[in-house]
């Protein structure tokens, strides 16, 4: 089964995801972030009524729908997966959310107050090009709110054991700061979520294992094994400091 069949994956993993998070902290996210972390990052970025928000690689847009409901904004979610956006549109209901299919970069035409990039910075090899595109889409004073898997690039040995390693492009904080600086963006807020995300990865891994029979019946054993292998690596790397998980806001000068 292909990983971009998000309907099947969402259905198969939903029960385990709900059980892994503390009450009220699961809002449809496909990541280690909690609802509290999502809201705090959005608040730091100035999301609110009439604020134009572009959510890159939004997936099924759990965080986007959540901040639209909680804080109010003019929301546009962009993702390359048609199946993910079908879920997002259905679950948005009457919320004032819009969605568009597309690969990043390029970005949609227009000027935005806030660009969100949650849990997907690591998927972009050329972060310089991505940051330049984001800066060009922001109005003066606009903000980029993002999460960062911070650490040196994967070694060959690490690539060999990480499922889908071609989508895992780690970078150091110094390197991303330099990319931001070249694009005219200045970091105004930063928070370390490494310990919390290690605990969340462990809770999700335990929940997937407990529900393994049902998950396997829906998406196959190989997909589950890859999911669990990736979670074990994140648990180890976040635990020993190989990777840090950071949330940041950068403002366009």
């Amino acid at each position: 089964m292909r990983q971009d069949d998000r309907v099947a994956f969402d259905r198969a993993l939903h029960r385990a995801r709900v059980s892994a998070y503390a009450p009220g902290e699961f809002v449809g996210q496909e990541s280690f972030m909690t609802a509290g972390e999502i809201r705090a990052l959005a608040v730091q970025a100035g999301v609110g009524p009439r604020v134009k928000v572009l959510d890159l690689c939004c997936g099924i847009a759990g965080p986007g729908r959540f901040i639209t409901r909680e804080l109010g904004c003019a929301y546009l979610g962009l993702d390359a997966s048609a199946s993910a956006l079908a879920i997002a549109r259905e679950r948005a209901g009457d919320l004032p959310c819009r969605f568009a299919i597309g690969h990043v970069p390029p970005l949609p035409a227009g000027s935005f107050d806030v660009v969100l990039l949650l849990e997907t910075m690591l998927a972009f090899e050329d972060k310089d090009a991505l940051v330049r595109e984001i800066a060009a889409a922001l109005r003066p004073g606009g903000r980029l709110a993002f999460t960062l898997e911070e650490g040196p690039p994967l070694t060959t040995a690490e690539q060999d054991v990480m499922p889908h390693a071609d989508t895992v492009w780690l970078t150091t904080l110094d390197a991303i700061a330099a990319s931001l600086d070249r694009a005219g963006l200045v970091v105004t807020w930063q928070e370390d979520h490494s310990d919390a995300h290690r605990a969340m990865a462990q809770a999700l891994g335990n929940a997937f294992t407990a529900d393994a029979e049902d998950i396997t019946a829906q998406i196959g054993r190989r997909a589950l094994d890859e999911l669990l292998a990736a979670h074990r690596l994140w648990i180890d790397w976040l635990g020993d400091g190989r990777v840090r998980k950071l949330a940041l806001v950068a403002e366009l000068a």
Side-chain angles (χ1 to χ4, degrees):
M1 178 169 300
R2 291 169 33 168
Q3 188 109 8
D4 63 358
D5 184 358
R6 300 290 267 280
V7 175
F9 270 79
D10 179 73
R11 183 186 302 116
L13 303 181
H14 183 78
R15 181 170 64 186
R17 283 172 169 160
V18 170
S19 70
Y21 287 86
E25 294 295 339
F26 180 70
V27 290
Q29 64 268 44
E30 302 169 281
S31 70
F32 302 150
M33 296 186 81
T34 63
E37 291 168 355
I38 294 165
R39 194 182 196 284
L41 180 58
V43 168
Q44 289 292 334
V47 174
R50 295 178 297 281
V51 171
K52 293 178 65 177
V53 175
L54 173 62
D55 187 4
L56 299 178
C57 308
C58 67
I60 66 172
R65 290 180 277 115
F66 172 66
I67 65 168
T68 301
R69 183 173 59 251
E70 288 281 303
L71 303 174
C73 60
Y75 175 88
L76 173 62
L78 181 71
D79 199 88
S81 170
S83 61
L85 292 182
I87 297 171
R89 288 190 182 97
E90 179 184 0
R91 294 184 182 169
D94 294 332
L95 289 170
C97 296
R98 296 183 297 124
F99 301 97
I101 188 167
H103 290 272
V104 178
L107 272 61
S111 181
F112 298 90
D113 299 301
V114 175
V115 171
L116 296 177
L117 186 68
L118 305 182
E119 306 289 78
T120 48
M121 180 67 83
L122 83 168
F124 293 90
E125 182 179 8
D126 190 345
K127 302 188 196 310
D128 245 1
L130 173 66
V131 170
R132 283 197 306 271
E133 287 271 346
I134 290 172
L138 287 169
R139 67 165 180 79
R143 285 82 62 196
L144 166 62
F146 67 105
T147 57
L148 178 69
E149 294 80 7
E150 195 272 338
L154 296 183
T155 65
T156 300
E158 289 169 337
Q159 290 174 354
D160 289 342
V161 295
M162 169 57 80
H164 308 289
D166 59 337
T167 64
V168 180
W169 301 98
L170 296 175
T171 192
T172 64
L173 186 57
D174 286 345
I176 202 68
S179 291
L180 293 168
D181 182 66
R182 285 190 288 269
L185 289 157
V186 178
V187 173
T188 58
W189 180 81
Q190 176 182 318
E191 195 165 80
D192 193 315
H193 293 162
S194 301
D195 290 343
H197 284 205
R198 182 184 184 277
M200 199 66 248
Q202 184 69 68
L204 284 164
N206 292 343
F208 295 149
T209 299
D211 210 19
E213 183 176 352
D214 188 59
I215 293 172
T216 299
Q218 297 185 68
I219 62 174
R221 187 71 213 188
R222 179 178 177 181
L224 176 60
D225 286 344
E226 289 180 346
L227 187 68
L228 291 173
H231 278 67
R232 285 192 292 270
L233 286 171
W234 289 122
I235 292 164
D236 290 344
W237 292 348
L238 289 166
D240 63 17
R242 166 67 179 87
V243 176
R244 290 192 300 160
K245 285 297 298 293
L246 307 175
L248 304 99
V249 175
E251 184 171 323
L252 185 65

